Amino acid sequence: PICKDRNLLPLESPVTRERIYFDYAATAPLQPEALEAMLPFLSQSPYNPSSLHVEGRRARSALEEARERIAGVIGARRKEIIFTAGGSEADSLAVLGTARLRPGSHLVSCAIEHHAVLHSLQALASEGYRVTTIPVNGDGCIDVDRFAQALHRDAALASVMYANNEIGTIQPIAQLAALARAREVLFHTDAVQAAGWLALDVDSLGVDMMSLSAHKFGGPHGVGILYVREGTPIAPIVHGGGQEAGRRSGTEDVAGAVGAAVALALAESKRADATGRVAQLRGMFEERVLQTIAGARVNGAGAQRLPNISSLSFEGVSAQTLAIRLDLEGVAVSAGSACTSGVAQTSHVIAALGSSAAAAVRFSLGRSTTRQEVERVAALLPPLVAALRQGE
């Protein structure tokens, strides 16, 4: 199998030309402004924000300033922000931390959620909870009527992602949250992919909880953010020293929190300009591909999508093989399928679309993507796809 051992894949591309990065949905480069803000806490002030001495209080002050800044971007209060070790932990805390306060209750979600949510729900199902997973249509949009019907009297939590990480489909979060609120059901959204591209105001969205991940919007790796509306009951899943107001134990990463706050504010300030420009580039890219490659399809094309994600399936072509060929040509993308124990598996997202495609390649653009890069990748694809179809 192609991906039997990822560690055996070549670390360097044989192509000497400058590489093109089309995998911003996997991780966005750390913004210089965020790094600059982090450096003092990495090199000069490695202090514990829980300490009572002057150095500790300085670290605490920086941590709370970061919390305040993040809260300001999403229209929240400082005390409603919890720092975690990543978006997956933020999702897990939201799902497990609220559900476990209502043993055996009913939980509602969507078929194309991130595995952090799906696997948390699976764990709860094994503990006796009832889980309803709402399907999506062929474009990846949730069935709103079925969602509403699933909000029974015993429902405790609904969790639906704002925008999908593989195909970019945007869900009607404000509408779903309103339905949940009318039935007194807590509502969580995974907004990890939405940051920097969609509005994050928690009151406008009407959500009780929202997850973010710093490295998706130009902040550092290993920093997650969970917004929890005041009054929302949540139990910790990480126990220890009682940090984060007892909701998430563990010494906070001050440098990471500072970098995350700077990056989020920067992404929000550039969102309007970036959204239009990148959407135009994405549209041009998809148009070129569909015009030049027979049997190509854009997954989720009929839905409202993030401006930077293009999920493409090519009839008769292995997504992983094409991703590797592109890598060798100097282009970084992601195959929209999982690789476990050497077996290529269809992505649960693509499978949920009811698509006949075995897999898809995700091309994800960023604020720094150029027209020249898009044109080069669009020109590379036709001969690569043709060669793979011929078994070359």
Side-chain angles (χ1 to χ4, degrees):
I2 291 170
C3 54
K4 185 175 182 180
D5 189 341
R6 297 181 187 215
N7 295 325
L8 297 181
L9 294 176
L11 296 178
E12 300 295 335
S13 169
V15 180
T16 57
R17 69 170 70 99
E18 186 176 351
R19 290 182 59 81
I20 294 176
Y21 188 71
F22 268 23
D23 204 17
Y24 284 86
T27 195
L30 180 64
Q31 292 299 297
E33 296 90 339
L35 176 60
E36 182 179 0
M38 293 170 65
L39 285 176
F41 302 96
L42 292 172
S43 59
Q44 301 172 18
S45 305
Y47 305 126
N48 191 322
S50 295
S51 298
L52 296 179
H53 47 60
V54 170
E55 290 81 2
R57 294 199 302 274
R58 287 174 181 164
R60 171 60 59 182
S61 177
L63 182 69
E64 295 309 317
E65 286 177 9
R67 201 187 309 273
E68 184 75 40
R69 191 168 191 178
I70 290 168
V73 172
I74 67 173
R77 301 177 182 180
R78 183 175 66 182
K79 61 184 177 182
E80 296 175 320
I81 304 299
I82 302 174
F83 288 114
T84 70
S88 291
E89 187 192 339
D91 280 345
S92 298
L93 175 56
V95 173
L96 298 172
T98 54
R100 283 179 173 156
L101 293 175
R102 293 269 302 276
S105 57
H106 180 211
L107 312 171
V108 180
S109 192
C110 177
I112 60 172
E113 294 299 302
H114 189 276
H115 280 126
V117 169
L118 294 179
H119 290 174
S120 293
L121 291 170
Q122 288 174 12
L124 290 167
S126 70
E127 298 174 13
Y129 290 79
R130 186 160 62 92
V131 177
T132 297
T133 303
I134 308 300
V136 295
N137 64 17
D139 284 318
C141 297
I142 192 170
D143 187 324
V144 176
D145 290 337
R146 290 185 66 171
F147 174 83
Q149 293 167 9
L151 299 175
H152 302 299
R153 189 171 298 176
D154 63 340
L157 172 71
S159 180
V160 179
M161 70 191 331
Y162 197 172
N164 185 261
N165 53 305
E166 290 191 32
I167 61 175
T169 301
I170 300 169
Q171 305 297 349
I173 294 302
Q175 181 183 5
L176 300 177
L179 288 169
R181 183 175 293 271
R183 292 161 175 79
E184 298 183 346
V185 177
L186 293 176
F187 188 89
H188 163 256
T189 188
D190 175 339
V192 166
Q193 290 294 336
W197 303 109
L198 301 176
L200 297 177
D201 185 84
V202 293
D203 285 336
S204 296
L205 293 172
V207 299
D208 298 298
M209 293 172 285
M210 182 171 72
S211 302
L212 300 171
S213 183
H215 75 101
K216 301 294 188 178
F217 50 77
H221 285 262
V223 181
I225 299 159
L226 179 62
Y227 158 76
V228 180
R229 186 178 295 276
E230 185 177 8
T232 301
I234 188 165
I237 61 173
V238 177
H239 301 275
Q243 288 87 351
E244 296 300 290
R247 299 170 297 184
R248 196 276 183 186
S249 292
T251 301
E252 295 95 343
D253 179 355
V254 177
V258 169
V262 170
L264 184 62
L266 182 65
E268 177 62 19
S269 70
K270 296 186 176 183
R271 178 168 61 88
D273 291 338
T275 298
R277 188 184 71 82
V278 173
Q280 197 170 37
L281 290 176
R282 197 268 309 273
M284 181 185 76
F285 173 68
E286 291 180 347
E287 183 179 6
R288 296 272 183 92
V289 169
L290 295 177
Q291 287 176 347
T292 57
I293 304 176
R297 181 179 61 232
V298 179
N299 295 304
Q304 184 181 10
R305 291 179 292 151
L306 290 175
N308 67 316
I309 291 182
S310 179
S311 171
L312 299 176
S313 293
F314 300 92
E315 184 179 342
V317 174
S318 161
Q320 291 186 342
T321 303
L322 179 56
I324 291 172
R325 289 291 183 91
L326 283 166
D327 185 38
L328 295 175
E329 291 291 337
V331 181
V333 298
S334 283
S337 58
C339 177
T340 305
S341 301
V343 179
Q345 299 177 342
T346 302
S347 157
H348 73 285
V349 174
I350 299 300
L353 304 183
S355 170
S356 60
V361 177
R362 183 186 65 189
F363 300 81
S364 50
L365 287 59
R367 294 200 303 263
S368 60
T369 298
T370 66
R371 182 186 180 94
Q372 291 72 24
E373 289 176 327
V374 168
E375 290 175 342
R376 181 182 151 200
V377 176
L380 276 172
L381 279 171
L384 284 178
V385 171
L388 290 174
R389 284 175 173 168
Q390 295 169 11
E392 298 177 6

